[in-house]
Amino acid sequence: MRILFVASLHHPDVLEEAKRNAPPGEDPLFPPSQGQYFWVKALRKLGHTCGVFWRSESAMPWAKQRQLHMTQRLTPGRAVSAVMARVPTLNPDYRLRNRHLLDEAAAFQPDVIVLPGDNTVILPETLAELKRQHNATLVYGCGTSPIVFSRPVERAAAPLIDLVIANDYYHAIQWRELGAKRVVALPMSAIDPAFHHPYELTDQEQAEYGCDVSFVGTLVPDNLYGERIAALEALADFDLGIWSVHEVPASLKRFYRGPALGEQMLRVTCGGKIALNPHGDFMRYGGNMRLFEACGVGAFQIVDDRPGVHEWFRVGEHLVTYRDPAHLHKLVAYYLSHENERAQIAAAGQAHVREQHTYDQRMARLVELINEIRASGSKR
């Protein structure tokens, strides 16, 4: 199949580095800091042709591609983006991007269009035209709640979607209620054993990344990551290290050690004795990227107790869960003094994700689902 991703580029500098370092004959479409990098790699191994249209790239010649940086401050850029998200049809740049997508699709001739979540640019009428022109199956991959995060343009497009892949079971239900024809709770995140593996750190890296508890991820806005912030604040009396490419709340800034993406993020995870992974408040079922990645690099992981964690792992054997900040504090204190138990659980977790949760397996299942839809003629 010919699969066209219509996506946002979050880390352009990381993509440029990946292209420079790619072996001869390989052409990364995404940076390894975005999960779609591994989707494309696995789909190509299955014999499919992949392309990408950057919906986040302005059609205006003077505009520059910027790195994604989340903040709680009201900036002029955030204000303009908020207005444009409500009335995207009034944005001449957005209209040009939609036209360019139609042109690029005409050249690529996709059988499948994959639209990762948080789409604020591509209009429902453009998606309808793509389906009409190419008889293409429209797949939407979403790692967040459409009730909390989706914009009017996404909700209006829901009835056009042939298949929604959602990390979180509850998010899948929400997309079905919005009108998506078929939804499947299948974690979009997984591991690639060639990338997600234990990293041997240099002395300098160990000095930089070494800590009792490491956390890598997003902490703003606090109304969406309040539980995550509370978990970290409860560990203030431990050697805590925090890495994020976004802003960090004032209460945690003394633990901040810098940004981490791609391979560096995995090296950071290898440097800590405990990898802490609280989900965002909006992810009540669970299944974020770190859940699988931390196990993939052989880290001992403590994660908040979510139903999906019990579905995909054996708690106490592959990883450990906590109920609340006080319980987390007790677990951290216990496992810091029980190194052998940490090592045993980390090894079992790594073996488990290598056997059950690889991107090759995820994409094989995704292709099965797409083929079922195409064979049934149920596309709209």
Side-chain angles (χ1 to χ4, degrees):
M1 291 186 292
R2 297 182 63 81
I3 303 173
L4 179 64
F5 286 80
V6 180
S8 295
L9 177 57
H10 295 158
H11 312 123
D13 294 344
V14 181
L15 176 58
E16 289 305 313
E17 182 181 2
K19 288 179 176 291
R20 287 195 301 269
N21 297 333
E26 286 192 16
D27 178 27
L29 297 184
F30 290 86
S33 52
Q34 292 184 230
Q36 292 84 21
Y37 171 92
F38 303 102
W39 284 41
V40 169
K41 183 178 177 182
L43 288 167
R44 284 172 167 172
K45 287 167 66 176
L46 292 170
H48 304 289
T49 300
C50 297
V52 64
F53 173 84
W54 295 122
R55 68 186 188 219
S56 58
E57 188 171 299
S58 174
M60 302 304 179
W62 59 81
K64 294 181 179 180
Q65 181 72 49
R66 296 181 179 179
Q67 187 114 328
L68 179 66
H69 178 77
M70 295 179 67
T71 176
Q72 296 200 107
R73 292 176 288 111
L74 181 59
T75 64
R78 288 185 69 194
V80 171
S81 295
V83 172
M84 289 299 99
R86 290 182 178 275
V87 284
T89 55
L90 300 182
N91 187 328
D93 182 21
Y94 285 10
R95 293 202 302 271
L96 274 175
R97 291 188 222 181
N98 279 259
R99 170 48 54 191
H100 291 172
L101 171 58
L102 291 172
D103 292 342
E104 290 200 22
F108 186 80
Q109 292 292 308
D111 302 301
V112 178
I113 296 170
V114 177
L115 201 67
D118 195 29
N119 169 45
T120 62
V121 176
I122 306 306
L123 303 173
E125 50 264 39
T126 301
L127 297 174
E129 183 64 15
L130 288 169
K131 290 167 65 73
R132 186 192 67 79
Q133 289 184 7
H134 305 288
N135 194 32
T137 304
L138 179 59
V139 177
Y140 203 92
C142 184
T144 57
S145 164
I147 303 301
V148 176
F149 284 94
S150 69
R151 310 293 179 87
V153 68
E154 289 182 291
R155 293 192 289 274
L160 295 167
I161 300 172
D162 299 303
L163 174 65
V164 171
I165 300 296
N167 279 18
D168 190 295
Y169 175 79
Y170 304 136
H171 298 171
I173 294 173
Q174 293 165 4
W175 277 107
R176 187 69 183 92
E177 291 172 340
L178 287 173
K181 188 171 185 181
R182 184 172 182 181
V183 297
V184 175
L186 176 71
M188 297 183 294
S189 49
I191 70 156
D192 177 348
F195 188 78
H196 302 100
H197 59 77
Y199 284 82
E200 184 175 347
L201 304 184
T202 65
D203 291 342
Q204 181 178 347
E205 287 174 329
Q206 189 60 55
E208 292 178 4
Y209 305 152
C211 55
D212 288 343
V213 182
S214 69
F215 169 81
V216 185
T218 303
L219 292 167
V220 292
D222 54 14
N223 65 309
L224 298 178
Y225 296 99
E227 294 177 11
R228 181 176 281 183
I229 293 169
L232 290 165
E233 289 174 342
L235 304 180
D237 55 336
F238 293 101
D239 179 15
L240 174 64
I242 294 175
W243 287 261
S244 180
V245 297
H246 307 299
E247 281 190 358
V248 173
S251 63
L252 296 171
K253 281 188 176 179
R254 68 186 186 275
F255 305 110
Y256 179 66
R257 300 198 187 182
L261 289 170
E263 183 179 312
Q264 184 191 8
M265 182 271 292
L266 301 181
R267 290 180 176 274
V268 166
T269 305
C270 289
K273 296 176 183 177
I274 295 173
L276 180 63
N277 179 25
H279 287 81
D281 298 6
F282 51 87
M283 208 167 198
R284 308 315 300 177
Y285 197 77
N288 62 13
M289 294 182 71
R290 210 72 72 243
L291 182 66
F292 304 96
E293 293 171 340
C295 286
V297 300
F300 170 75
Q301 179 178 186
I302 300 183
V303 59
D304 48 348
D305 196 39
R306 294 286 195 259
V309 176
H310 294 267
E311 178 180 347
W312 303 309
F313 295 88
R314 288 194 291 275
V315 173
E317 181 179 344
H318 301 141
L319 43 67
V320 172
T321 61
Y322 69 91
R323 298 184 300 273
D324 52 50
H327 184 218
L328 171 63
H329 191 280
K330 291 179 181 178
L331 288 173
V332 168
Y334 174 84
Y335 281 105
L336 284 176
S337 62
H338 291 77
E339 182 178 355
N340 289 340
E341 288 186 44
R342 293 202 317 266
Q344 183 178 354
I345 293 172
Q350 183 188 28
H352 175 68
V353 294
R354 282 175 171 260
E355 181 181 350
Q356 300 290 334
H357 297 290
T358 67
Y359 278 103
D360 287 350
Q361 292 165 324
R362 294 281 196 271
M363 292 303 101
R365 177 58 180 149
L366 176 62
V367 170
E368 285 180 2
L369 292 168
I370 292 171
N371 284 335
E372 289 174 9
I373 291 170
R374 295 181 68 80
S376 69
S378 60
K379 302 192 301 300
R380 290 190 285 181

